[in-house]
């Protein structure tokens, strides 16, 4: 890299940077051995006149900090941080972006611990870092020129293809470990990854890892100055920054909200669309505070709702989207407090439904679905306000229009919220959902017959997404109609179609298994005739080496089927012949080296259900899974599931005492885990029968401990005083 030729230096840097992320933890030994030399070279060219060189230098430092070699940078941490702070304000936008990416990586570094040198270093930089990040959040001159040249009222302009986000079907089970996709950019998605976005994300990360008071002390005075700026774009960036610190500094910000919130509401009426947009976004970050003010009356909540509804009907499409998203977040915090405003809100949303272009409609569907999920049966009086519009929209779309995905997901939420009050519309919805399912299965079969390479084509995935959205809607119908679903679907071939779908790609199998579980839960008599064919296919999906969510849904659906046919002749003919095969798969899952909590929960509950109907057969295998099974009882969070699992454990302990003794340490913790449980109906925790059974097991366990010559006090000394106190007070004396 000492070469004076910029092209050579640039090529060398790019080559080195390529090595770092490619090999991750296995960075070449030669680079490890020469790390200090490499860092020295980066330092020597960090102020190179060439923007290209400075870009790659910053990129290299970020990569090194994010890799396992970050320790090699620690001796130079102060100097590197100072360099990256200066580079974050570089005159070259790309250099500044590359440098600004340093701060999120810094915050997520393993060495960034409380009272660590890395934390102390970042705290020392804070008074200069915050102003740099705030300045970076202001739109650049070129961006401002582009925004000012764009139309401020564009609601009647059709969306261009390049404006549309890709539409994917989310599926019912895809969000159990997902995160909010908010990138901290305040809705500036159309400009790609910019310095503004990177600066906002950096401020978000810094606010999360450092003391909130320190962050706010460095941030708020500058924001107050910027709020009062005569430059509207400085004001806009200050509003963005106030939203960016919300997650990390919420409690510290709350005392200031009474002063700042009126400013946000006022700027929702700004003549500049970007200010209206960012005001909606930032307001949504403090939705919890808005709801909490309702303890003194709902006027404050009502005022915010009315202002958001004005922006829902804004004449700028992006403001529409951000207002809908903000309304969704407010509903998720308000729940029942939102009910008095439903009529007005729904009337406004339906008005928006007929004026929105395609892109805004996607967000509106999500808002309606969120509203239904939160207010549930309170939606019933307003069914005529929304359902005809949604069904007419469905009728207007072709069977391969991807806008069906959010629309049908919205319909499924509405159906679940309305329950039996959805009955009037259920026949038409079932017919359309079945037609969509059949169409895409037939299309897929026809295309596969004419194309030997079909499995390799994206068309199979495309058809699969339509299958998933129709299956999820059928699940919504089953949840809504309960036992009435059987009568509705009895003349259809839905069970045959589901059997086909169980041999499809992972997302389709995942949705199909969820639907089978829904049907078993709500109307087991309907699924009964198909169980001899379905159960082997379900068990085949209990594969810990396959798709985790498919496996989890397979375990759940098998548990629901077992529960629904327990103590019936159908159990003996349809489920009992497969218990050994199912147990083999489930035990293998429990004993996996790594297992996701959702899969662990479902596998545990299904084994519990099998135990309740066939305790002797399950007990014969208890020694193979006792420890992990008992451990799982501690993490069960649903009252009914925990009760079922403890009932199963008591049956297993009676029949297989020695395996139970091998996990007695875990059992004491599991027994104490009832401390944090609450039942929906106020039932005691644990239930009396479970409390009595646990008391008997602990008494027998104590006798065993004494027989081994171990003092009871010494044995229980391994647990915290809180655990011992709870065990004694709840289940003692032993």
């Amino acid at each position: 890299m000492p070469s004076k030729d910029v092209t050579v230096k640039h090529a060398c840097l790019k080559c080195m940077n390529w090595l770092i992320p490619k090999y991750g933890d296995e960075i070449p030994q030669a680079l490890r051995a020469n790390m200090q030399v490499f860092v020295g070279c980066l330092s020597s060219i960090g102020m190179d006149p060439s923007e290209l060189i400075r870009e790659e230098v910053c990129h290299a430092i970020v990569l090194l900090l994010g890799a396992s070699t970050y320790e090699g940078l620690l001796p130079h941490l102060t100097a590197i941080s100072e360099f990256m702070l200066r580079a974050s304000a570089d005159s070259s936008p790309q250099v500044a972006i590359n440098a600004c990416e340093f701060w999120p990586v810094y915050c997520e570094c393993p060495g960034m611990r409380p009272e660590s040198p890395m934390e102390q270093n970042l705290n020392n930089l804070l008074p200069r870092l915050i102003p740099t990040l705030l300045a970076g959040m202001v739109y650049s001159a070129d961006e401002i020129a582009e925004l000012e040249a764009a139309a401020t009222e564009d609601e009647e302009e059709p969306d261009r293809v390049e404006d549309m986000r890709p539409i994917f079907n989310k599926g019912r089970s895809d969000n159990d470990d997902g995160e909010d996709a908010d990138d901290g950019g305040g809705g500036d998605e159309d400009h790609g990854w910019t310095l503004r976005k990177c600066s906002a994300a950096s401020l978000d990360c810094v606010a999360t890892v450092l003391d909130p008071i320190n962050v706010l002390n460095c941030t708020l005075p500058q924001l107050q100055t910027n709020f009062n700026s005569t430059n509207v774009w400085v004001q806009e960036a200050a509003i963005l920054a106030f939203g960016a610190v919300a997650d990390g500094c919420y409690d510290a910000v709350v005392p200031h909200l009474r002063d700042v919130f009126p400013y946000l509401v006022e700027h929702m009426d700004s003549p500049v669309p970007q200010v209206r947009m960012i005001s909606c976004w930032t307001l949504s970050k403090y939705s919890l505070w808005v709801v909490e003010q309702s303890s003194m009356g709902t006027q404050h909540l009502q005022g915010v709702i009315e202002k958001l509804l004005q922006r829902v009907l804004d004449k700028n499409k992006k403001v529409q989207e951000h207002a809908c998203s903000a309304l969704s977040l407010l509903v998720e915090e308000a729940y029942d407090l939102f009910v008095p405003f439903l009529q007005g809100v729904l009337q406004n949303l339906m008005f928006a439904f007929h004026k929105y272009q395609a892109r805004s409609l996607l967000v509106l569907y999500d808002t309606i679905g969120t509203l239904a999920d939160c207010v549930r049966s309170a939606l019933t009086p307003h069914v005529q306000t929304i359902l005809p519009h949604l069904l007419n929209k469905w009728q207007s779309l072709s069977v391969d229009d991807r806008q069906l995905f959010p629309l049908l997901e919205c319909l499924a939420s509405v159906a679940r919220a309305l329950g039996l009050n959805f009955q009037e519309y259920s026949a038409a919805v079932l017919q359309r959902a079945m037609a969509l399912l059949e169409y895409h299965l037939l299309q897929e079969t026809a295309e596969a017959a004419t194309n030997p390479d079909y499995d390799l084509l994206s068309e199979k995935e495309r058809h699969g997404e339509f299958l998933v959205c129709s299956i999820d809607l059928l699940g919504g119908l089953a949840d809504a109609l309960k036992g009435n679903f059987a009568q509705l679907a009895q003349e259809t071939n839905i069970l045959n179609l589901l059997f086909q779908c169980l041999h499809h790609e992972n997302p389709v199998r995942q949705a199909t298994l969820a639907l089978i579980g829904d049907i078993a839960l709500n109307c087991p008599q309907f699924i009964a005739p198909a169980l001899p064919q379905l159960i082997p296919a379900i068990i085949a999906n209990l594969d810990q080496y396959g798709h985790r969510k498919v496996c989890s849904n397979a375990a759940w659906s098998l548990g629901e089927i077992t529960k629904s046919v327990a103590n019936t002749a159908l159990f003996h003919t349809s489920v009992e012949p497969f218990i050994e095969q199912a147990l083999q798969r489930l035990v293998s899952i429990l004993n996996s080296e790594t297992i996701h909590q959702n899969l662990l929960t479902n596998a545990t509950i299904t084994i519990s259900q099998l135990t309740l109907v066939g305790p002797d057969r399950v007990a014969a295998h208890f020694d193979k899974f006792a420890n992990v099974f008992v451990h799982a009882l501690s993490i069960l969070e649903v009252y009914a599931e925990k009760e079922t699992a403890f009932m199963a454990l008591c049956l297993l302990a009676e029949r297989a005492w020695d395996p139970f003794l091998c996990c007695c340490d875990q059992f004491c913790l599991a027994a104490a885990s009832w401390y944090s449980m609450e039942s929906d109906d106020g039932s005691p925790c644990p239930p009396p029968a479970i409390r009595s059974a646990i008391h008997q097991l602990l008494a027998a366990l104590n006798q065993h401990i004494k027989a081994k010559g171990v003092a009871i006090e010494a044995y229980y000394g391994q647990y915290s005083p809180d655990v011992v106190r709870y065990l004694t007070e709840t289940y003692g004396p032993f």
Side-chain angles (χ1 to χ4, degrees):
M1 278 190 282
S3 172
K4 296 181 180 180
D5 189 317
V6 171
T7 303
V8 173
K9 283 194 292 186
H10 184 245
C12 289
L13 273 170
K14 286 186 74 69
C15 181
M16 294 296 293
N17 288 345
W18 180 83
L19 290 174
I20 300 169
K22 181 174 179 64
Y23 290 97
D25 290 338
E26 298 181 5
I27 289 176
Q29 183 60 36
L31 178 56
R32 286 184 179 276
N34 292 279
M35 181 59 63
Q36 299 308 313
V37 176
F38 183 42
V39 173
C41 288
L42 294 176
S43 176
S44 68
I45 59 175
M47 303 302 292
D48 196 283
S50 169
E51 294 180 6
L52 293 176
I53 300 300
R54 300 202 305 277
E55 287 175 22
E56 293 300 330
V57 169
C58 293
H59 187 44
I61 292 172
V62 172
L63 292 174
L64 289 173
L65 186 65
S68 61
T69 54
Y70 78 92
E71 297 97 335
L73 300 183
L74 293 183
H76 314 283
L77 185 62
T78 302
I80 288 174
S81 300
E82 290 285 352
F83 168 75
M84 297 301 269
L85 177 58
R86 291 192 301 271
S88 295
D90 196 281
S91 58
S92 164
Q94 193 56 53
V95 174
I97 291 172
N98 285 13
C100 199
E101 289 175 345
F102 175 79
W103 307 111
V105 176
Y106 188 109
C107 293
E108 295 170 5
C109 187
M112 182 63 187
R113 296 183 296 272
E115 301 181 359
S116 65
M118 289 191 72
E119 184 190 60
Q120 182 179 353
N121 178 64
L122 191 57
N123 271 318
N124 293 338
L125 292 170
L126 206 54
R128 290 177 293 144
L129 175 60
I130 295 296
T132 300
L133 297 179
L134 295 180
M137 288 185 219
V138 181
Y139 281 111
S140 70
D142 289 342
E143 291 168 337
I144 292 172
E146 180 183 345
L147 292 170
E148 290 179 340
T152 58
E153 298 183 1
D154 61 355
E155 65 173 348
E156 296 184 0
E157 296 179 11
D159 290 327
R160 300 174 301 172
V161 174
E162 57 267 33
D163 289 335
M164 292 294 295
R165 304 185 193 95
I167 305 174
F168 303 103
N169 181 65
K170 291 191 290 187
R172 287 185 59 200
S173 308
D174 284 2
N175 298 318
D176 57 330
D177 56 356
E179 299 287 340
D180 188 350
D182 184 2
D183 62 10
D188 185 29
E189 68 275 0
D190 288 348
H191 286 88
W193 187 238
T194 63
L195 180 60
R196 165 190 167 83
K197 280 188 172 184
C198 193
S199 298
S202 296
L203 179 59
D204 184 1
C205 291
V206 169
T208 301
V209 300
L210 294 183
D211 180 74
I213 300 296
N214 290 345
V215 174
L216 206 59
N217 286 341
C218 293
T219 306
L220 199 55
Q222 182 69 56
L223 290 185
Q224 290 170 335
T225 300
N226 292 354
F227 284 151
N228 296 317
S229 172
T230 57
N231 186 328
V232 68
W233 300 107
V234 173
Q235 292 179 359
E236 193 274 348
I239 296 172
L240 166 61
F242 193 70
V245 300
D247 291 339
C249 300
Y250 180 84
D251 290 336
V253 169
V254 163
H256 305 278
L257 280 173
R258 287 197 173 275
D259 296 326
V260 178
F261 210 79
Y263 179 91
L264 296 177
V265 174
E266 175 189 344
H267 281 73
M268 290 172 69
D269 290 327
S270 169
V272 180
Q274 285 71 32
V275 177
R276 301 199 298 274
M277 183 194 319
I278 203 62
S279 297
C280 290
W281 179 81
T282 295
L283 181 146
S284 73
K285 304 290 281 186
Y286 297 99
S287 294
L288 175 60
W289 182 81
V290 174
V291 172
E292 288 173 340
Q293 304 313 297
S294 299
S295 61
M296 299 176 287
T298 59
Q299 296 90 344
H300 191 72
L301 176 61
Q302 181 178 359
V304 172
I305 292 173
E306 290 174 352
K307 184 62 66 175
L308 282 175
L309 289 177
Q310 292 175 18
R311 298 286 67 83
V312 165
L313 300 179
D314 200 279
K315 294 186 177 182
N316 182 277
K317 291 188 286 189
K318 291 178 184 174
V319 177
Q320 295 170 356
E321 295 173 31
H322 283 76
C324 285
S325 295
L327 191 64
S328 295
L329 292 171
L330 186 60
V331 171
E332 289 178 333
E333 295 292 351
Y335 272 79
D336 291 344
L337 291 174
F338 211 86
V339 172
F341 312 107
L342 270 180
Q343 184 64 39
V345 169
L346 289 171
Q347 287 176 349
N348 275 267
L349 294 182
M350 289 305 103
F351 186 81
F353 191 83
H354 292 287
K355 70 178 284 187
Y356 275 10
Q357 300 291 337
R359 175 166 159 160
S360 295
L361 266 180
L362 302 183
V363 188
L364 182 59
Y365 290 140
D366 185 68
T367 300
I368 297 171
T370 301
L371 189 64
D373 290 338
C374 293
V375 304
R376 305 296 292 180
S377 60
L379 196 64
T380 300
H382 311 286
V383 60
Q384 290 293 335
T385 304
I386 54 175
L387 264 181
H389 300 281
L390 295 176
L391 294 175
N392 288 338
K393 183 64 177 179
W394 185 2
Q395 187 69 38
S396 71
L397 299 176
S398 67
V399 292
D400 55 2
D401 191 323
R402 298 179 73 85
Q403 288 192 59
L404 284 172
F405 300 158
L407 171 58
L408 298 195
E409 183 180 359
C410 173
L411 265 174
S413 292
V414 171
R416 290 188 176 92
L418 294 175
L420 292 176
N421 293 299
F422 193 77
Q423 186 91 39
E424 177 185 347
Y425 303 91
S426 59
V429 170
L430 177 72
Q431 182 180 8
R432 292 187 192 180
M434 290 294 298
L436 186 65
L437 188 64
E438 290 175 327
Y439 171 83
H440 284 280
L441 281 172
L442 288 172
Q443 283 293 107
E444 190 176 71
T445 302
E447 291 171 14
T450 58
N451 187 349
D453 297 324
Y454 180 72
D455 281 352
L456 304 176
L457 299 179
S458 61
E459 282 300 301
K460 188 173 183 66
E461 181 178 343
R462 184 180 72 84
H463 286 302
E465 289 185 300
F466 286 96
L467 296 176
V468 168
C469 78
S470 55
I471 291 168
D472 284 347
L473 178 55
L474 292 171
L477 278 178
D479 283 343
L481 302 180
K482 308 300 181 187
N484 292 353
F485 182 81
Q487 181 179 358
L488 180 69
Q490 64 182 353
E491 300 300 327
T492 71
N493 64 337
I494 184 173
L495 295 177
N496 289 333
L497 296 180
L498 292 184
F499 186 74
Q500 291 182 50
C501 290
L502 279 178
H503 297 85
H504 208 281
E505 299 299 306
N506 287 331
V508 178
R509 286 187 286 134
Q510 177 183 333
T512 304
L513 289 161
L515 175 55
I516 290 171
D518 286 334
I519 296 174
L521 175 65
N522 292 295
C523 47
Q525 72 278 14
F526 176 71
I527 205 171
L531 288 182
Q533 292 76 39
L534 287 176
I535 288 182
I538 292 172
I539 293 174
N541 283 287
L542 290 172
D543 179 9
Q544 78 270 30
Y545 300 112
H547 191 273
R548 189 257 302 170
K549 292 179 181 178
V550 171
C551 185
S552 184
N553 281 7
W556 177 74
S557 63
L558 181 61
E560 291 300 325
I561 290 171
T562 302
K563 180 170 65 174
S564 69
V565 301
N567 302 317
T568 68
L570 193 60
F571 168 77
H572 298 293
T573 59
S574 300
V575 177
E576 192 172 31
F578 301 102
I579 285 183
E580 292 294 330
Q581 185 181 355
L583 277 175
Q584 183 180 359
R585 296 279 186 123
L586 290 166
V587 170
S588 180
I589 289 168
L590 288 186
N591 290 323
S592 301
E593 290 186 10
T594 58
I595 181 172
H596 189 275
Q597 182 168 324
N598 192 49
L599 176 55
L600 174 61
T601 296
N602 286 339
T604 299
I605 296 304
T606 299
I607 287 179
S608 300
Q609 296 290 357
L610 291 171
T611 301
L612 296 184
V613 294
D616 293 327
R617 297 184 67 173
V618 179
H621 301 274
F622 191 41
D623 61 316
K624 300 182 181 71
F625 64 91
N627 197 60
V628 66
F629 179 84
V630 175
H631 163 71
L633 269 58
S634 298
I635 64 174
L636 295 179
E637 299 176 348
V638 178
Y639 183 93
E641 293 178 347
K642 202 177 190 79
E643 181 180 14
T644 297
F646 268 89
M647 290 169 58
L649 177 63
C650 294
L651 293 173
L652 293 172
E654 289 175 7
R655 291 161 172 79
W657 182 249
D658 287 343
F660 172 76
L661 288 178
C662 294
C663 55
C664 55
D665 295 350
Q666 292 282 1
F667 172 70
C668 292
L669 293 173
S673 69
W674 280 99
Y675 172 78
S676 60
M677 292 296 297
E678 293 182 5
S679 63
D680 294 335
D681 59 359
S683 300
C685 295
I690 298 297
R691 183 191 299 262
S692 175
I694 293 176
H695 167 78
Q696 293 177 28
L697 287 175
L698 285 173
L701 176 60
N702 289 344
Q703 291 298 322
H704 172 75
I705 293 169
K706 292 176 183 177
K708 293 176 63 176
V710 178
I712 294 296
E713 294 78 6
Y715 176 78
Y716 285 100
Q718 65 180 304
Y719 303 112
S720 70
D722 289 340
V723 168
V724 175
R725 187 180 309 111
Y726 180 79
L727 292 175
T728 303
E729 293 176 355
T730 306
Y731 308 110
F734 305 128

